[in-house]
Amino acid sequence: MSTDGAVTLAGLPASVLLPGHDVPLGRYTTVRRLLPQRPRRMVGAWCFVDQFGPDDVLGRPGMRVPPHPHTGLQTVSWLVQGEILHRDSLGSLQTIKPGQLNLMTSGHGISHSEESPREHPPVMQGLQLWVALPDPARHQEPRFEHHPALPTRTRDGVTTTVVVGSFGDLASPARVHSPLLGVDLALDPGSRSALLLRPDFEYGVLAVDGAADIGGTALTPGALLYLGEGLSSLEVSTTGGARLFLLGGVPFDEPLVMWWNFVARTDEEIRRARDEWTTGDRFGQVSGYAGDALPAPALPTTPLKIRDRHGNTL
Ligand code: MN
């Protein structure tokens, strides 16, 4: 084990098991952050992955994330249990349930809130992910998509749901701006499958539930297994059953500055975004949320670092 906690594995030469860390989110929720991590900041354009639950929210507020801004990214909300109510500055008001996709494209600027509905199921579990927008797409108008059903298939005890991108002959209707993949894999106990991969993509996989063997590596919830590039297939199997999420994409070549809820290219862009959240109308208004918007935290006095996908500063 190296000093940063990452473990290099023998079976898949480029793979690294990256344990996440716990982060408080809002007043009532703790999430497990799997990206970015110090040794591995991105998988394709996926630049942020939070895993949450299973949380017992019976008789509790559940998720309460007040209105906050985004720029330069898309948010992907994916639930395996529970319900979340999304509001945004475009006027969207959308409940998401397991198997459905909320995809919000911030473009230049948007704000949103996320909360458990007043009446909600007893358990909440899922993923919140961000996709970095490539430069040509990051200044566009914001938009929100809700996909109530996604392409899915069950074969050999494995149910595959394509959340983002194309996998085999299944294609998600979600609109993204770089070659990207997000697939939910529900493995029945005792199942085994060979996933066909694209050598020009890099991949990572996480376990939402259960335990699986990924090309000879044991994977359980709380870590991201980064698989690298150049793979054309991947053996996955489980004894007791597992729920996995496979991330993939063409390696993202643009260095980024990430701070708070912003993805940008320079320190100056981040400082302007913070100013325009504090005063101004760039990020619009979220109506209907019972509570105040989130104030931006203080910026460091030294310039924010621009990093490539490997974490190297420029
Ligand atoms: Mn958000």
Side-chain angles (χ1 to χ4, degrees):
M1 182 172 288
S2 63
T3 52
D4 52 26
V7 181
T8 304
L9 304 156
L12 296 159
S15 71
V16 185
L17 188 63
L18 302 164
H21 61 277
D22 290 339
V23 177
L25 180 71
R27 284 176 62 192
Y28 304 101
T29 312
T30 297
V31 301
R32 184 84 171 169
R33 184 144 305 154
L34 302 181
L35 274 183
Q37 295 201 45
R38 196 151 63 89
R40 173 54 48 189
R41 298 188 62 80
M42 302 181 77
V43 176
W46 298 105
C47 62
F48 181 97
V49 178
D50 273 354
Q51 176 170 25
F52 55 88
D55 289 329
D56 177 3
V57 292
L58 187 66
R60 297 181 190 171
M63 184 175 280
R64 299 280 303 160
V65 182
H68 60 278
H70 287 292
T71 188
L73 59 87
Q74 296 179 290
T75 64
V76 169
S77 301
W78 182 248
L79 288 175
V80 296
Q81 296 191 81
E83 284 182 25
I84 293 175
L85 177 61
H86 162 96
R87 306 171 192 270
D88 68 38
S89 52
L90 302 173
S92 312
L93 178 65
Q94 181 65 59
T95 300
I96 180 177
K97 298 182 179 182
Q100 303 181 334
L101 169 63
N102 275 2
L103 175 65
M104 186 180 79
T105 305
S106 75
H108 180 61
I110 197 168
S111 53
H112 73 145
S113 63
E114 291 153 297
E115 62 198 285
S116 298
R118 186 181 297 267
E119 300 286 328
H120 51 256
V123 179
M124 185 174 66
Q125 185 178 19
L127 300 171
Q128 169 82 231
L129 312 100
W130 296 355
V131 178
L133 289 169
D135 196 55
R138 71 192 185 97
H139 304 291
Q140 65 182 290
E141 291 300 306
R143 74 171 189 273
F144 176 75
E145 298 170 30
H146 173 72
H147 297 286
L150 292 162
T152 186
R153 168 186 298 139
T154 300
R155 183 178 289 166
D156 301 331
V158 179
T159 299
T160 303
T161 303
V162 182
V163 180
V164 171
S166 295
F167 196 62
D169 58 353
L170 301 179
S172 165
R175 188 169 155 209
V176 293
H177 299 270
S178 61
L180 200 66
L181 182 70
V183 176
D184 182 294
L185 298 161
L187 280 65
D188 287 348
S191 63
R192 169 178 297 276
S193 183
L195 310 179
L196 291 181
L197 304 185
R198 281 176 56 165
D200 61 326
F201 271 31
E202 58 179 346
Y203 291 93
V205 61
L206 62 92
V208 175
D209 257 332
D213 180 293
I214 312 294
T217 299
L219 183 65
T220 53
L224 178 73
L225 177 61
Y226 176 73
L227 298 164
E229 300 170 59
L231 295 175
S232 53
S233 73
L234 181 66
E235 288 273 344
V236 298
S237 64
T238 178
T239 304
R243 187 80 177 260
L244 307 177
F245 201 89
L246 177 68
L247 302 167
V250 169
F252 195 85
D253 274 336
E254 297 176 48
L256 302 176
V257 185
M258 289 178 62
W259 181 80
W260 194 40
N261 293 300
F262 305 137
V263 175
R265 299 297 184 276
T266 65
D267 172 77
E268 195 270 331
E269 284 183 359
I270 295 278
R271 287 172 196 274
R272 191 181 337 128
R274 185 190 184 280
D275 283 350
E276 290 174 345
W277 171 241
T278 306
T279 57
D281 58 4
R282 170 172 169 184
F283 298 99
Q285 295 282 329
V286 178
S287 62
Y289 183 84
D292 293 335
L294 275 183
L299 273 159
T301 51
T302 53
L304 296 161
K305 291 193 164 66
I306 305 170
R307 293 180 190 277
D308 69 14
R309 66 180 188 273
H310 306 293
N312 301 315
T313 57
L314 302 186

